[in-house]
Amino acid sequence: MSEAAAALAGGTVSALELAEACLERLEGPRGRALNAFIHVAGELARDQARESDRRRAAGSPRSPLDGVPIAMKDNIDVRGMPTTNGLATSWIPGSDAPVVRRLREAGMTFLGKLNMHEGALGATTDNPHHGRCMHPALPGFTPGGSSGGSAAAVAGGLCPVALGTDTMGSVRLPAAYCGIVGFKPSAEYWPVTGVMPLAFGLDTVGALAGRVADIALLLGETLDGPVLGRLRFARLANSDAIDIEPECRAAFDRALARMASAGIDIECVQVDGYDPGACRRAGFVVAETDAAVAHAELLSTVPGAFSPAFRAMLAYGATVSPERYSRERETIERAGAALRAVLDRFDVVITPATPQRAFRFEDPVPANQADFTAIANFAGCPAVSIPLPPPGDGRPVGLQLLAAPGRDSTLLSVASALEAACGPAPRPRSGQAPARGSSLSTSFDQ
């Protein structure tokens, strides 16, 4: 995305050319195979791009993002564009979600809405209504979820940046599976108004892109050059109990070794009273219960919009007693408070992003997908997944970094430095400064 913004600013490409390049790819064979988009807003994107070009020609771009293409997960309202929340129905919102309004005011080009796990309550994006969203590098494999379409669209080169939502890891998990960057900001960094709710107080709007610098540009954050050796790093002893694929463990250990060789001291700490599996289960009970409330009216009026599996989850949530709901809420709130106490002593906590890599749709879905990621939502803190060098078979692996609530800019700066120190070697990028009239179809390859 940074390259697209620089090319626009330098006049080597127009916003309309960028929009057409994205539309050509996402509507072409590759885009159809990935099934990342539920709705393509071709005419809107072209109109917005033309307006952006007119502003630049007049010397008055709205922001550095003016003319840069973006797409949104389909539980985020965009004025005049259908929202489905991954269900077999849709509605046309009359206003933008505040985060979308901010991007519209910045002059970005809206490409459309992205596939997602039904109701955002799951992490495979095997959607029964809109079809499976495929992993862009591994046909037949899940891209993760619930923001799977967002991750696949970015990693597959269909758009340079995308919005997703993250309730217990739904931005970071697919980012790790797909080998890109996924950022969940602090709670309330972006309002969740205009986003179909899943779990009250846990839902967060996040972003996915190829590099940390792209996320910082989207958020308007400045990346500093932190002296990593002067920061206090911790890893969680609680995470050692999580069942993790050997390849993920090996990639994490290699990252720890690289950090140690760079002079970074990492202390192993225990988060008091935090059992990752028990907290993840408590989080899902809370999500199912809150989702039953959020969907009650739609379920009563359009029951056919819900798959039998999703209806069963909502039915279960509706049976949870107030007493049990309070206990489960207390479980996750205690874990969040305990992590915040650790982050009072340390600048950054590091963990693997996921216990496993992307898997085939036909394989059993691991119950522990969110065991590393959920605690960031419980604590309301910012968290980011950055890609690590993958093992021999090429399936991506992610590294998760967490910081105290409100320290989003610091976390992104650290993530950018570690991206350079621990991440995979940069791939050739064809979008650095595309010449006018040249082929732009691969401008956003990651």
Side-chain angles (χ1 to χ4, degrees), residues 1-2 4-6 8 15 18 52 55-56 61-70 102-109 161 190 213-220:
M1 184 182 88
S2 302
L8 285 165
L18 288 177
S52 175
R55 289 191 294 270
R56 285 197 183 273
R62 291 179 177 174
S63 76
L65 300 171
D66 204 332
V68 175
I70 188 170
R102 174 185 177 276
L103 301 176
R104 190 189 294 271
E105 291 170 351
M108 297 194 79
T109 297
V161 64
W190 277 329
D214 299 331
I215 302 290
L217 178 62
L218 182 73
L219 273 59

Side-chain angles (χ1 to χ4, degrees), residues 30-431:
R30 178 166 174 75
R32 292 196 298 271
L34 293 182
N35 193 34
F37 276 79
I38 290 176
H39 174 75
V40 177
E43 289 311 306
L44 172 64
R46 293 182 180 95
D47 288 344
Q48 289 179 321
R50 291 186 187 101
E51 291 172 4
S52 175
D53 287 334
R54 284 192 287 269
R55 289 191 294 270
R56 285 197 183 273
S60 56
R62 291 179 177 174
S63 76
L65 300 171
D66 204 332
V68 175
I70 188 170
M72 290 79 167
K73 184 177 179 178
D74 202 28
N75 59 348
I76 302 172
D77 282 348
V78 179
R79 186 180 73 237
M81 200 179 293
T83 299
T84 74
N85 193 37
L87 305 173
T89 188
S90 66
W91 53 94
I92 307 293
S95 60
D96 290 328
V99 63
V100 173
R101 183 168 62 249
R102 174 185 177 276
L103 301 176
R104 190 189 294 271
E105 291 170 351
M108 297 194 79
T109 297
F110 296 171
L111 296 173
K113 306 294 287 296
L114 294 160
N115 205 348
M116 56 181 285
H117 202 101
E118 183 183 16
L121 191 54
T124 63
T125 316
D126 190 358
N127 190 291
H129 313 295
H130 305 288
R132 286 176 171 173
C133 179
M134 291 292 176
H135 193 289
L138 302 165
F141 282 66
T142 174
S146 62
S147 305
S150 303
V154 171
L158 307 186
C159 63
V161 64
L163 291 186
T165 60
D166 190 308
T167 300
M168 288 173 56
S170 288
V171 161
R172 291 157 288 152
L173 191 153
Y177 280 9
C178 291
I180 60 173
V181 177
F183 179 64
K184 183 205 85 68
S186 297
E188 300 179 359
Y189 184 98
W190 277 329
V192 293
T193 307
V195 177
M196 188 66 188
L198 176 59
F200 305 119
L202 302 181
D203 298 339
T204 315
V205 178
L208 302 96
R211 296 183 302 172
V212 175
D214 299 331
I215 302 290
L217 178 62
L218 182 73
L219 273 59
E221 298 284 0
T222 300
L223 296 178
D224 299 323
V227 179
L228 297 178
R230 295 179 183 174
L231 299 178
R232 299 161 299 170
F233 284 82
R235 69 176 186 88
L236 302 184
N238 311 66
S239 299
D240 293 340
I242 296 172
D243 185 18
I244 182 172
E245 275 189 8
E247 293 84 357
C248 293
R249 173 65 67 189
F252 182 63
D253 289 343
R254 285 194 297 270
L256 294 178
R258 285 192 183 187
M259 294 171 69
S261 67
I264 300 171
D265 291 326
I266 304 170
E267 184 175 337
C268 185
V269 300
Q270 184 81 16
V271 178
D272 294 337
Y274 169 51
D275 179 328
C279 285
R280 179 247 308 156
R281 290 189 291 272
F284 273 109
V285 172
V286 167
E288 288 172 318
T289 307
D290 286 353
V293 174
H295 290 86
E297 181 178 355
L298 187 62
L299 185 61
S300 67
T301 55
V302 195
F306 300 78
S307 71
F310 192 31
R311 281 201 304 271
M313 287 189 282
L314 298 179
Y316 177 81
T319 67
V320 173
S321 68
E323 294 77 16
R324 184 184 178 193
Y325 181 81
S326 294
R327 289 197 304 271
E328 306 292 15
R329 271 282 178 187
E330 289 171 3
T331 295
I332 64 176
E333 287 170 2
R334 282 196 304 271
L339 178 61
R340 289 193 299 272
V342 169
L343 290 168
D344 285 340
R345 298 164 43 213
F346 293 91
D347 297 295
V348 179
V349 165
I350 62 171
T351 75
T354 59
Q356 66 286 123
R357 299 164 298 155
F359 50 89
R360 295 184 184 276
F361 280 109
E362 289 74 18
D363 293 341
V365 178
N368 68 348
Q369 285 178 285
D371 274 12
F372 289 117
T373 53
I375 192 168
N377 300 81
F378 303 158
C381 69
V384 61
S385 175
I386 61 174
L388 292 175
D393 65 2
R395 274 192 281 166
V397 179
L399 175 71
Q400 179 179 231
L401 314 173
L402 306 93
R407 302 199 69 197
D408 300 71
S409 181
T410 298
L411 181 64
L412 288 171
S413 294
V414 173
S416 181
L418 290 179
E419 181 182 50
C422 300
R427 301 181 190 178
R429 301 176 69 89
S430 59

